[in-house]
Amino acid sequence: MIVRGTARCCRNIRPVLPRQAPSQYARQCSRRYSMPAHSMPAGISPSSAGMLAPFTNELDRLAPSFKVNGSQIHIIKSPTDFYETLKSKIRHAKTRIFLSTLYIGKSEEELIATLREALRANPELKLSILTDALRGTREAPDPSSASLLAPLVTEFGPRRVEVRMYHTPNLTGLRKRHIPNRINEGWGLQHMKLYGVDDEIILSGANLSNDYFTNRQDRYHLFASRDVTQYFWKLYQGVTSLSFLVEPTQEAAGFRLQWPSTNAAPSPLEQPAKYVSQATNLISKLISLDESRAALPAPDHSSAASNDTTVYMLGQLSQLLRPDTSTELPVITHLLKTLAAPQYSGSSWTFTAGYFNPDPTLRNLLLSTASQNNTVITASPHANGFYGSKGVSGLLPGAYTYLARRFLREIHQRRRDSSIVLKEWRNGTVGEPGGWTYHAKGLWITLPGDVDPSMSIIGSSNYTKRSYSHDLEAGALIVTRNEDLKRRLGAEQRWLQDFAKPITLDDFATNERRVGLDVRIAMWIVSLVGGAL
């Protein structure tokens, strides 16, 4: 995004849907990483296994993974259902709650009350929250995420409640002094969305604020797996040890950011190079395939038939890794390169990003697959969170329009018009009664001969150059042979298109869709000074 910074830069139905019974999530997998399979589970056709093998053989070398049963993954449909599920999990928490998000809305009193209720009801419960420092404090000394959360530390004490805020090492010195708030977020953010309670975790692209709970469409997968949850808990702890601690005070802002001496590195504001060096030592081990496997017991193949789904752990923490050993970009690159093989001409994929600006490498790979009947879903300008914003952020919908038009031109130049369709999602107009915004992101892959996807990526990444250089991202790749989970992934892929319609180059030729020179200049300036769209 031009700066998720420029972004929510200048601003930023609640129908209650039926909740799933907790028993649906009860089955837990034994704690282990999955290993390359030597035998086929019962009921799996050789052709299906053969089509997956070229993907999984390399995936097993790229990223840590766990075997689960498809029934342990629950797909949540609406913002309201996401919010109600999250609150329900919090209320029934027994030992731990950890929430990683870009920010918590400064007026989310109901969510804070739910956390407070859970902490009061269970003296053994501990809470940890991680947000971004720039986004979480930008309104200070007026109300902010930090001032909203600090009273929880006051009431329950630092032994039970920890609030951390990550600060990019890219924004120091003159940059930090002279680049204004909101714009400065373009130099890197804590963007992971991890909502863990006990041994379950929701992976999503949604933040924790009112629009994400009501009328901002995203994706949300709940994993009822101790293994998956524990993996992300360790990664979460690693990042918190590289983040500022929020301490409550009597000052006007209500808090201060303190750098604990027990942190894993010096402050990124004081010694950014040393900070990155020591962060690399820590984070590289947490996402490393070999390190992770070495710490776990050998796999138990006795339950191979029921564990029909592999969940690959994805982390893109490029800002903290020198050299960069992140796993998300290599995994997506492998998936799309494999789809370029002629035997996958009968496959299809759906790719979505609310802010349409795929990294140039991914854009080229999407255009190079042999797959047919492919769909790209992105937000209409009227469903873009920055629609109608004042200042630089008001140029963002135009910027994404410009990038979508350029993508359509590439489709035409490569003669892929019959195999790739670009759709814009719109449900009303932002800022008007009943208007929704679109923030979903992900990838679904359907193999030849199948009706529904057997692979899908869920997580926080927008798949942009910024995601792969500036921000901290986390997610998962699901690879499944479970027919029910495949059907549910297919349903998710379809319902996200309920408000999407195809758009062509002719549509972009209308006066309403023309992109002004001011938009192009703004995009150039942001790139010139080191930010990212």
Side-chain angles (χ1 to χ4, degrees):
M1 311 171 355
I2 273 186
V3 191
R4 194 172 296 100
T6 21
R8 308 184 172 115
C9 223
C10 298
R11 52 119 252 180
N12 189 233
I13 171 168
R14 204 187 251 250
V16 177
L17 300 182
R19 232 177 270 151
Q20 300 292 332
S23 59
Q24 180 175 349
Y25 315 132
R27 297 182 65 180
Q28 301 292 318
C29 59
S30 57
R31 189 174 193 273
R32 67 182 186 279
Y33 278 92
S34 66
M35 301 291 285
H38 299 291
S39 61
M40 221 184 328
I44 303 302
S45 69
S47 59
S48 174
M51 279 293 177
L52 277 174
F55 293 98
T56 57
N57 289 344
E58 181 63 19
L59 288 171
D60 288 331
R61 300 184 183 97
L62 291 175
S65 63
F66 295 103
K67 290 285 191 181
V68 302
N69 185 273
S71 64
Q72 292 173 252
I73 300 174
H74 173 58
I75 301 174
I76 300 170
K77 183 174 183 179
S78 75
T80 301
D81 202 15
F82 163 58
Y83 187 40
E84 295 302 324
T85 299
L86 179 63
K87 288 191 296 181
S88 176
K89 297 296 178 185
I90 289 171
R91 290 190 185 105
H92 295 92
K94 294 179 173 58
T95 59
R96 67 179 176 187
I97 300 170
F98 63 100
L99 308 174
S100 170
T101 186
L102 174 62
Y103 68 100
I104 295 180
K106 59 187 178 183
S107 60
E108 290 307 313
E109 297 293 348
E110 183 183 44
L111 177 60
I112 300 304
T114 304
L115 291 168
R116 183 176 285 114
E117 173 190 336
L119 289 163
R120 287 174 176 171
N122 181 0
E124 301 303 314
L125 181 63
K126 293 185 178 181
L127 167 67
S128 181
I129 297 175
L130 171 66
T131 76
D132 183 75
L134 296 174
R135 187 62 191 271
T137 64
R138 73 183 186 190
E139 300 92 346
D142 294 329
S144 64
S145 292
S147 64
L148 179 74
L149 296 169
L152 289 175
V153 182
T154 301
E155 179 173 352
F156 298 100
R159 188 186 68 82
R160 295 187 63 200
V161 176
E162 174 188 59
V163 179
R164 294 279 187 154
M165 292 196 167
Y166 170 87
H167 192 292
T168 172
N170 285 352
L171 191 72
T172 60
L174 291 176
R175 276 183 181 172
K176 184 166 180 65
R177 283 195 293 272
H178 297 295
I179 296 175
N181 287 344
R182 301 185 176 93
I183 303 294
N184 60 12
E185 295 171 20
W187 276 258
L189 295 171
Q190 191 305 107
H191 198 244
M192 301 187 298
K193 317 298 169 58
L194 306 171
Y195 305 125
V197 178
D198 295 332
D199 290 336
E200 297 181 329
I201 189 168
I202 297 174
L203 300 185
S204 180
N207 294 302
L208 301 180
S209 67
N210 184 63
D211 49 351
Y212 289 95
F213 301 152
T214 54
N215 60 359
R216 192 173 181 88
Q217 184 64 57
D218 214 301
R219 295 177 69 209
Y220 335 84
H221 287 194
L222 188 152
F223 294 78
S225 163
R226 183 179 187 275
D227 291 339
V228 173
T229 305
Q230 190 67 10
Y231 175 90
F232 284 116
W233 166 243
K234 289 182 178 179
L235 179 61
Y236 172 95
Q237 286 183 304
V239 176
T240 60
S241 75
L242 297 166
S243 301
F244 284 92
L245 183 68
V246 175
E247 294 184 344
T249 70
Q250 298 301 315
E251 301 165 5
F255 70 93
R256 67 166 171 257
L257 298 183
Q258 183 72 24
W259 192 260
S261 60
T262 54
N263 272 6
S267 167
L269 301 181
E270 296 175 2
Q271 301 181 66
K274 188 173 182 180
Y275 172 86
V276 172
S277 175
Q278 295 189 8
T280 297
N281 292 335
L282 173 63
I283 300 299
S284 61
K285 294 176 182 177
L286 293 175
I287 66 174
S288 164
L289 185 67
D290 294 334
E291 290 274 351
S292 300
R293 280 182 175 162
L296 293 169
D300 173 13
H301 293 293
S302 63
S303 59
S306 62
N307 289 339
D308 50 24
T309 300
T310 305
V311 183
Y312 291 91
M313 308 290 101
L314 305 183
Q316 194 70 36
L317 297 97
S318 304
Q319 190 176 99
L320 297 179
L321 294 168
R322 300 289 186 274
D324 189 357
T325 54
S326 297
T327 54
E328 181 184 285
L329 183 56
V331 163
I332 298 179
T333 298
H334 166 62
L335 295 179
L336 296 178
K337 281 186 174 180
T338 304
L339 288 177
Q343 62 263 37
Y344 293 102
S345 60
S347 68
S348 64
W349 51 258
T350 296
F351 174 84
T352 188
Y355 306 113
F356 186 73
N357 182 27
D359 179 86
T361 301
L362 293 189
R363 190 171 68 244
N364 181 61
L365 289 169
L366 288 168
L367 292 167
S368 301
T369 64
S371 310
Q372 303 295 316
N373 299 316
N374 309 304
T375 302
V376 174
I377 313 167
T378 190
S380 156
H382 301 87
N384 187 298
F386 311 121
Y387 182 79
S389 295
K390 297 178 180 179
V392 179
S393 63
L395 301 176
L396 284 167
Y400 293 117
T401 291
Y402 171 77
L403 293 166
R405 184 179 66 186
R406 188 171 69 181
F407 181 70
L408 273 181
R409 283 179 176 166
E410 289 185 79
I411 292 174
H412 183 67
Q413 290 166 359
R414 298 199 186 194
R415 300 180 180 178
R416 299 299 309 274
D417 305 76
S418 62
S419 58
I420 302 176
V421 174
L422 175 65
K423 293 185 177 182
E424 283 190 343
W425 191 98
R426 180 181 181 182
N427 183 7
T429 299
V430 178
E432 296 182 3
W436 283 53
T437 53
Y438 185 77
H439 196 250
K441 62 269 295 184
L443 175 69
W444 298 257
I445 296 173
T446 302
L447 295 176
D450 282 355
V451 175
D452 294 308
S454 54
M455 289 180 273
S456 184
I457 291 177
I458 176 77
S460 62
S461 177
N462 285 307
Y463 312 114
T464 64
K465 179 180 178 181
R466 172 177 173 162
S467 299
Y468 299 134
S469 60
H470 287 58
D471 295 341
L472 307 188
E473 310 283 9
L477 165 64
I478 299 166
V479 179
T480 187
R481 296 183 175 93
N482 182 291
E483 292 300 326
D484 179 66
L485 178 56
K486 288 167 68 173
R487 281 191 291 270
R488 289 185 283 123
L489 288 170
E492 178 190 41
Q493 176 185 255
R494 289 186 290 274
W495 80 51
L496 284 173
Q497 298 180 56
D498 285 347
F499 295 99
K501 68 175 185 178
I503 190 162
T504 67
L505 285 172
D506 289 340
D507 295 311
F508 284 117
T510 62
N511 288 332
E512 180 188 2
R513 304 304 297 272
R514 292 187 187 278
V515 176
L517 182 62
D518 54 348
V519 170
R520 302 185 195 198
I521 291 174
M523 294 170 69
W524 174 75
I525 290 173
V526 169
S527 175
L528 185 68
V529 297
L533 180 63

